[in-house]
Amino acid sequence: MAHPLIAIVGRPNVGKSTFFNKVVGKKISITKDKPGVTRDRLYADGEWRGKAFTIVDTGGIEMRSEDTMWREIKKQAEVAIDTAHVILLFVDGKEGLTSSDYDVADMLRRSKKPVILVVNKIDEYSEDKIFEFYSLGLGEPFPVSAEHGTGVGDVLDEAVSWFEKGETSGDESTKIAVVGKPNAGKSSLVNRLLGFERSIVTDIAGTTRDAIDTKFSYNGKEYTIIDTAGIRKKSKVEEDIEYYSVLRAFDAVRRADVCLLVVDATEGLTEQDTKIIGYVHEQGKPSVIVMNKWDLVEKDTNTINKFEQKLKEDLKFMDYFKSVYISAKTGQRAEKLFAIIDEVLSHANFKIPTGTLNDLISDTVRANEPPSYNGRRLKIYYSSQVAVAPPTFVLKVNSCDLMHFSYERFLENVIRKNFDFSGTPIRFLIRENSEK
């Protein structure tokens, strides 16, 4: 189940990103930056009062195009309304209300989503500073100073209080997100997958107007496809398309159990593909790289090897990737996808027995001692797998500082050599042993 989503909306320069960074920097964030993943932090995972959530900063949407500000904010608000559980509308307490604040408040009110009105840049609180903001009709304004961190906790208290309502989906089907650039063939692939079996159960008008969730069954198993194919219709401006399609793809990834990244094989992997797959990796989701339009690629006996080699170079940060070469249009090899989806899901849900894992780690450490720093050497006392999807391992060590990224990577490779975790990321949690 994806975490509830909090979206931050508002005019430029009202302090959305400052608030986002404050929340993420407040040790609330549990996201670890790994090499090779997205640079622009639109999303971050966090926790407040024991409740996990994902927060998205639509402030990353400062466009270079000659768009009017209102059209821009409207698009941000649409994305927030489509995808968020709770919306934070930011206004500027120093500057006061503007006509676009009224317009966006009106739009958010009609959405029937919980909206929290945040009046930023209130360094010293007084009732008269926030009085005019009641006129937006969004209830009580929350005065904050994002820069100084005052009032941030109150806003988060209010936001997480909305989570329970409507959070239980009770849907046991496997959720497949089909993501990728416009024109990579996502629609054809979705139609092909749904066309295999007659029993399409329901079309749920999904969380977004562009992504339709379709439930179906195949070989006696229930699946839901989260289709983001409608993404490119959003706007005519090139960079808007790219930005919003990435934003919506991110939302589909969050909700999915497994992700299919559809790549146009005639073009190869682009920067946008890498950005989305980096996010899939970061979110700990199993995935399959679907090289589509394979029927259009001129081939000799070595073609697939060349393509695989190129993928290995481009996806160094996730060398566990699984790929499949298909044509959604002609149906060539497309049916193989279900077997691969089931396979990567079973890898993501595999658990290594604790005894076996400890034997493997201690044998490995004995054969390849960790390097020493300043005369101190890393000791690993105990290891266990504490979670699946993604497989997560706790290592009890003498000092976290001594666990170098390269040695962690080495241990990951050892685990992968001994157990098949292809198609899924794995995670390590390094903990200092308190019983010295």
Side-chain angles (χ1 to χ4, degrees):
M1 185 77 201
H3 294 157
L5 182 68
I6 300 172
I8 308 173
V9 175
R11 291 183 291 119
N13 307 321
V14 290
K16 299 189 295 290
S17 299
T18 311
F19 180 86
F20 176 82
N21 293 336
K22 187 65 76 176
V23 170
V24 176
K26 260 200 166 176
K27 291 284 174 270
I28 298 174
S29 170
I30 43 181
T31 326
K32 190 173 172 193
D33 278 328
K34 283 275 199 310
V37 288
T38 51
R39 281 185 303 280
D40 7 359
R41 305 295 309 187
L42 303 171
Y43 278 90
D45 289 331
E47 196 176 291
W48 183 254
R49 301 211 183 285
K51 291 177 181 168
F53 59 83
T54 301
I55 188 164
V56 59
D57 172 22
T58 63
I61 316 181
E62 304 297 339
M63 292 296 169
R64 293 179 296 278
S65 61
E66 294 302 304
D67 244 2
T68 66
M69 190 197 297
W70 160 237
R71 276 197 15 226
E72 206 42 68
I73 302 167
K74 189 163 174 267
K75 284 210 286 291
Q76 293 175 22
E78 275 171 11
V79 174
I81 288 166
D82 284 349
T83 57
H85 291 78
V86 180
I87 299 166
L88 308 182
L89 172 60
F90 264 63
V91 291
D92 187 326
K94 281 210 169 84
E95 199 183 311
L97 284 170
T98 68
S99 61
S100 58
D101 290 334
Y102 279 105
D103 291 338
V104 80
D106 201 39
M107 189 174 161
L108 294 175
R109 216 176 26 250
R110 286 200 306 271
S111 76
K112 302 283 188 280
K113 291 266 173 111
V115 181
I116 299 166
L117 177 60
V118 183
V119 184
N120 190 25
K121 306 186 188 176
I122 302 284
D123 298 338
E124 283 177 26
Y125 173 73
S126 70
E127 190 65 41
D128 54 338
K129 280 185 183 168
I130 63 161
F131 187 72
E132 66 166 321
F133 295 98
Y134 279 96
S135 64
L136 289 176
L138 290 171
E140 191 176 339
F142 281 75
V144 305
S145 166
E147 200 162 334
H148 301 124
T150 51
V152 171
D154 295 339
V155 172
L156 291 175
D157 282 348
E158 178 69 11
V160 301
S161 74
W162 287 94
F163 286 173
E164 272 70 44
K165 303 156 194 173
E167 252 311 87
T168 49
S169 85
D171 180 2
E172 293 301 301
S173 64
T174 296
K175 311 219 175 10
I176 304 169
V178 180
V179 295
K181 275 201 350 248
N183 303 324
K186 297 191 295 291
S187 299
S188 315
L189 180 64
V190 168
N191 294 340
R192 178 65 62 182
L193 293 177
L194 295 176
F196 284 144
E197 270 308 295
R198 308 297 78 88
S199 67
I200 295 175
V201 190
T202 46
D203 265 0
I204 314 154
T207 45
T208 72
R209 280 188 294 276
D210 295 336
I212 299 291
D213 294 10
T214 308
K215 240 182 170 167
F216 68 105
S217 66
Y218 176 78
N219 276 354
K221 289 183 184 164
E222 294 283 312
Y223 297 92
T224 298
I225 281 196
I226 306 171
D227 168 23
T228 55
I231 277 167
R232 67 176 171 280
K233 302 191 191 86
K234 203 72 212 142
S235 156
K236 287 168 192 57
V237 185
E238 197 54 42
E239 60 209 21
D240 292 17
I241 297 173
E242 179 152 332
Y243 182 84
Y244 288 100
S245 63
V246 168
L247 195 57
R248 290 187 195 269
F250 282 178
D251 186 65
V253 168
R254 288 177 53 252
R255 296 193 291 125
D257 298 311
V258 62
C259 301
L260 304 181
L261 182 83
V262 186
V263 178
D264 181 340
T266 62
E267 275 187 28
L269 214 59
T270 65
E271 192 185 340
Q272 192 178 347
D273 293 321
T274 310
K275 187 181 271 191
I276 294 171
I277 198 74
Y279 186 72
V280 172
H281 166 77
E282 201 176 35
Q283 288 286 302
K285 305 284 182 175
S287 60
V288 182
I289 313 277
V290 180
M291 299 300 278
N292 189 25
K293 307 189 185 178
W294 193 238
D295 53 320
L296 304 179
V297 173
E298 282 188 35
K299 290 177 269 301
D300 57 38
T301 49
N302 206 21
T303 311
I304 279 201
N305 293 345
K306 277 188 205 141
F307 268 74
E308 280 294 281
Q309 209 41 56
K310 179 84 175 83
L311 282 178
K312 276 188 184 122
E313 284 163 29
D314 292 340
L315 299 175
K316 275 202 177 74
F317 61 93
M318 49 173 290
D319 48 13
Y320 57 80
F321 72 85
K322 271 293 238 201
S323 55
V324 60
Y325 293 78
I326 70 160
S327 165
K329 213 168 198 163
T330 68
Q332 176 194 6
R333 282 207 291 278
E335 199 152 356
K336 275 188 158 172
L337 264 174
F338 284 104
I340 293 176
I341 287 169
D342 289 346
E343 185 190 337
V344 300
L345 276 169
S346 74
H347 295 167
N349 287 287
F350 179 72
K351 195 156 197 248
I352 305 174
T354 303
T356 312
L357 181 67
N358 274 296
D359 290 349
L360 175 63
I361 298 290
S362 53
D363 289 353
T364 301
V365 172
R366 215 171 294 127
N368 294 277
E369 275 209 328
S372 63
Y373 296 96
N374 302 330
R376 296 169 69 222
R377 197 179 292 281
L378 175 76
K379 288 189 176 72
I380 301 175
Y381 300 116
Y382 176 78
S383 51
S384 71
Q385 185 178 344
V386 293
V388 294
T392 305
F393 302 93
V394 164
L395 301 178
K396 282 283 178 77
V397 300
N398 55 339
S399 166
C400 292
D401 301 343
L402 297 174
M403 175 60 86
H404 196 267
F405 175 74
S406 58
Y407 198 72
E408 191 179 306
R409 188 70 193 230
F410 165 68
L411 292 175
E412 177 178 337
N413 290 335
V414 167
I415 289 174
R416 287 187 184 279
K417 269 199 191 82
N418 286 272
F419 299 95
D420 190 351
F421 283 115
S422 56
T424 178
I426 66 180
R427 299 266 185 269
F428 284 105
L429 302 172
I430 312 302
R431 299 278 182 262
E432 269 178 33
N433 196 19
S434 47
E435 302 147 33
K436 290 281 163 74

